[in-house]
Structures are given as C-alpha cells and as structure tokens.
Amino acid sequence: AAMLGSAAVFGATPLALGVPAGALVALLTDGIFRPASNTLYPTISHGPRNARTVALTFDDGPDATITPRVLDILGEHGARATFFMIGRNLERSIGIGERAIREGHQIGNHSWKHGYFQHASSVRAQLADMERSEELIRGITGQTMRSVYRCPVGLKSPRFARVAHLLSLEVIAWSVHSRDTIDQNPERIARRVLSRVQPGDIVLMHDGHQSQGSSRTSALRALPRVLEGLKERNLQPVTLDEMLG
C-alpha cells in the first residue's frame, strides 16, 4: 500500500518504490531477528524499574545433572528463578520440573524441540509444538493460566505472530544476556551480568542444551558469584510472575 501510494504521488521511480520497500525490509528484519522487538508481537524484555528485583531466567533445560545443582545454589541464596524448559527435555526429567515448582520457581514454555528455524514452520506445526509443551507444563504445575513463552533463539516471524495472537501468548525476551553459551569463563560471565544489571532486568542464562547428549556448565559455575553480586547491590532475584505481577 505504501509503495502504491508513493508511486501515485511521486511516480513509479526507483526512489519512490525503494524507500517504502526498504522500510518494510527494515521492519521485518527488526521483528524477526531482535528478540526484544515489538514489531511483530508484543514482547516483554524487562520489568518495573522502580523495585529492587531482577528475574534470572534459565533456558534449554532441564539438564539431569546441571539443573539440580542450579536449584541447590538458588536455594542456598534464597533466590527464585524462571526456567524456560524445552518440552522434550522436561519429559525426560519430570522430577526436576516438579522440584523447581516445589521450591518456588517458575516454569516457562520454550517450545517442544527448540528448532533453530522453528519460527519459519507452518502455523499448524508451531501451534502443535507449543501446545505439546504447554500440556506437559500444566500437568506439573497444576496451573490453568498459560505459561510465559520464550522463542527458541529469540526469533519470531509473521507466522509465529499469528500463533501468538491465537493463543494470547505472553512472550518474554531479556534485557541482559550473560553470553554463557559462547564464553566458558565463569568470572567473565558474572562480571558481564553484574556490570549491566539494574532493577527490573531479565537476565538470560542457560542450564541446559537443545542438543541431546550436550550440556552447558558456564552459568552453573558463574551463578554463585552472580547471586553474591546481586545481594551486594540489594537486588532480589524473583520469578517473572513475581516481577511482572
């Protein structure tokens, strides 16, 4: 419509057609590749800035070895977190999900299989994937309200937006990325988080891996220092439900 309008006013010149086309490409690029973008669908990337709380979020679990140790450390520090669990991982470790709920943490939906190009799948395929995980999470939590959702790799698409609208998803991104998937040094990870964190931030870390047979330990090793640093800054780690009300 913009291209037709521009052509009607300025004529069918390369500039008149190229400017609206370029704007469309820029909007789509932002909506697809920037996790916190609201272009395609409303996305929450942080909470209220006027309370001294932060939300630690852990993606791609549960991992049979790593996640219980993460829960141990959180318990020692009186901290609560939100775990965006991959459905097929959770199916293999139901007991870990149940433990997380018992200890006051929150479980979010991170899809069933965590495909890198999942956002490009058909509406039907994405809907089935989300609902399969949602059914499993509800069986553990007993909740009737839909779980918060985090897109695999943070990628969206127009098709994803259609599914999200159909399900009225509450989509969660992040405001602080620990980079624990590429940095193996726990001290650097902790410094990176603590140098950027402020009230209301949603921090992204990983306790699991989307590939079966693989694991990640960086966040686990960085977590004690992160929690100590948050305490020094008088910031309380809470679940997303607690932060967002």
Side-chain angles (χ1 to χ4, degrees):
M3 291 173 68
L4 288 173
S6 180
V9 174
F10 301 107
T13 65
L15 182 62
L17 298 175
V19 170
L24 175 61
V25 170
L27 283 171
L28 282 175
T29 300
D30 176 80
I32 293 170
F33 294 105
R34 186 167 67 89
S37 173
N38 292 296
T39 299
L40 295 177
Y41 190 80
T43 301
I44 297 170
S45 58
H46 65 80
R49 297 297 192 184
N50 58 355
R52 304 218 46 96
T53 58
V54 296
L56 297 181
T57 64
F58 294 86
D59 281 15
D60 298 350
D63 180 285
T65 302
I66 303 300
T67 306
R69 294 167 65 186
V70 169
L71 291 171
D72 290 342
I73 295 170
L74 291 170
E76 291 166 5
H77 287 79
R80 292 179 297 280
T82 300
F83 293 82
F84 284 96
M85 296 184 173
I86 298 173
R88 61 182 181 180
N89 289 351
L90 178 57
E91 186 179 51
R92 292 193 296 268
S93 301
I94 292 289
I96 296 176
E98 293 172 338
R99 176 187 169 185
I101 295 299
R102 283 198 310 271
E103 296 181 3
H105 305 290
Q106 181 179 354
I107 296 178
N109 190 334
H110 198 36
S111 81
W112 180 263
K113 60 182 180 181
H114 195 291
Y116 277 107
F117 302 103
Q118 191 163 318
H119 64 291
S121 301
S122 69
V123 169
R124 179 178 294 181
Q126 292 190 57
L127 183 62
D129 181 279
M130 293 178 195
E131 290 292 74
R132 189 176 181 185
S133 280
E134 186 65 23
E135 183 179 355
L136 185 61
I137 293 171
R138 286 185 179 185
I140 294 171
T141 64
Q143 295 177 345
T144 56
M145 291 182 62
R146 182 170 292 278
S147 306
V148 290
Y149 186 84
R150 176 168 283 165
C151 305
V153 205
L155 298 176
K156 305 186 200 69
S157 70
R159 287 176 178 173
F160 167 81
R162 288 181 62 190
V163 177
H165 279 292
L166 283 171
L167 300 178
S168 299
L169 291 183
E170 188 168 28
V171 177
I172 307 294
W174 54 87
S175 49
V176 175
H177 197 318
S178 67
R179 303 296 175 193
D180 59 351
T181 57
I182 57 176
D183 191 344
Q184 304 301 311
N185 187 301
E187 287 300 322
R188 281 200 303 265
I189 292 170
R191 283 198 303 269
R192 183 177 297 112
V193 171
L194 295 172
S195 67
R196 301 175 183 178
V197 72
Q198 57 182 311
D201 271 331
I202 298 174
V203 181
L204 172 61
M205 305 177 81
H206 293 78
D207 66 317
H209 201 290
Q210 68 274 12
S211 300
Q212 297 185 31
S214 299
S215 63
R216 295 184 174 117
T217 63
S218 300
L220 169 67
R221 292 180 289 130
L223 184 57
R225 178 68 189 100
V226 169
L227 292 170
E228 290 163 6
L230 293 176
K231 184 176 181 180
E232 292 168 3
R233 291 159 176 76
N234 192 31
L235 292 171
Q236 177 63 34
V238 297
T239 67
L240 282 167
D241 275 353
E242 292 172 303
M243 173 184 280
L244 302 175

